[in-house]
Amino acid sequence: MRRPWIVGVSGASGTPYAAAVLRALLDADHPVDLVVSRAARLTIIDETGVPFRDAHWHTDLESWLGRSVDADRVRFWPAGDFAAGPSSGSYPAAGMIVVPASTAACAGIALGLSKDLLQRAAEVNLKERRRVVVVPRETPVSRSHLLHLVSLVDSGAVVLPASPGFYSGGAQATAQQLVDFVAGKILDACEIDHDLFTRWSGTGLKRP
Ligand SMILES: Cc1cc2nc3c(=O)[nH]c(=O)nc-3n(C[C@H](O)[C@H](O)[C@H](O)COP(=O)(O)O)c2cc1C
């Protein structure tokens, strides 16, 4: 059995990035452990209209992702459950992706606050020297935001801002293509194969 990737969804705007990563992990046949912060329930319902309720996580996840989800491939943990598997370093995870990452989550992980399971699991995966990818979404950023991101990099995290490139779709790029670009960069950081975007080859551009 492959080790699961833990996906932590915190309460920043950008829930389509989380949905794209979840779909891609499942498409790549990777088991997923899912943690959704309390604030993320607000962003999910704001951005998709879908409620995300612990007691109905499976049907709500299917509504959010717009597809059926094999319940055997996703293990859901309530954000308040500090006894959950991912709260321990002995839990066999491949690593963790925090997408999107609120400034509060970035600060909490950087400072080791562990105020909920998402922050605790991220801290645990950092201390175990596993791959942790943090996808901040805020603009503009303050000095303290930047310092927390530096601290995360110093702790071994990959800080991967939700910053889509326009070079694979040009000016006609759809919102989904821009989302998929960021999701693809996240999977690249986790060394997971995907076909979410067309890679730059250096040969297609008509140079002036
Ligand atoms: C609709 C909505 C959008 C938000 N967007 C952002 C955002 O883009 N970035 C951010 O850092 N916080 C954002 N917030 C604020 C966070 O949700 C808030 O700081 C919360 O404490 C984060 O908690 P969490 O890290 O436990 O999810 C947003 C809140 C709401 C309700």
Side-chain angles (χ1 to χ4, degrees):
M1 179 72 171
R2 295 168 106 168
R3 289 181 169 222
W5 280 90
I6 304 166
V7 176
V9 184
S10 71
S13 179
T15 58
Y17 297 121
V21 166
L22 287 165
R23 286 191 208 101
L25 286 172
L26 294 171
D27 285 346
D29 212 21
H30 276 281
V32 169
D33 279 33
L34 178 63
V35 183
V36 177
S37 79
R38 283 186 61 198
R41 296 170 195 213
L42 298 177
T43 49
I44 292 170
I45 199 164
D46 181 59
E47 296 180 352
T48 69
V50 174
F52 196 93
R53 301 157 295 182
D54 288 359
H56 302 281
W57 71 267
H58 187 226
T59 49
D60 291 348
L61 181 64
E62 290 189 323
S63 301
W64 178 26
L65 300 188
R67 59 190 265 181
S68 63
V69 172
D70 183 348
D72 292 339
R73 308 301 290 165
V74 180
R75 185 173 288 175
F76 173 76
W77 302 98
D81 184 1
F82 287 105
S87 68
S88 169
S90 66
Y91 187 73
M96 180 160 179
I97 303 165
V98 184
V99 58
S102 70
T103 56
C106 293
I109 299 164
L111 297 171
L113 297 183
S114 291
K115 70 110 182 169
D116 63 7
L117 176 62
L118 186 154
Q119 292 186 12
R120 168 68 185 164
E123 188 196 347
V124 159
N125 279 273
L126 283 177
K127 86 176 171 70
E128 297 296 331
R129 302 288 194 268
R130 297 184 192 129
R131 178 55 50 94
V132 174
V133 181
V134 177
V135 186
R137 209 308 315 173
E138 187 53 275
T139 193
V141 287
S142 68
R143 184 170 188 275
S144 80
H145 298 154
L146 291 170
L147 290 176
H148 290 136
L149 296 181
V150 170
S151 174
L152 288 171
V153 170
D154 287 346
S155 299
V158 174
V159 173
L160 196 154
S163 170
F166 286 73
Y167 51 78
S168 67
Q172 287 74 40
T174 64
Q176 190 60 50
Q177 282 176 303
L178 298 176
V179 165
D180 286 346
F181 180 89
V182 172
K185 295 291 285 187
I186 294 168
L187 264 69
D188 280 355
C190 300
E191 299 182 25
I192 297 170
D193 290 338
H194 66 85
D195 56 3
L196 287 163
F197 57 70
T198 306
R199 291 181 188 280
W200 183 256
S201 68
T203 57
L205 181 68
K206 289 196 181 67
R207 294 165 173 82

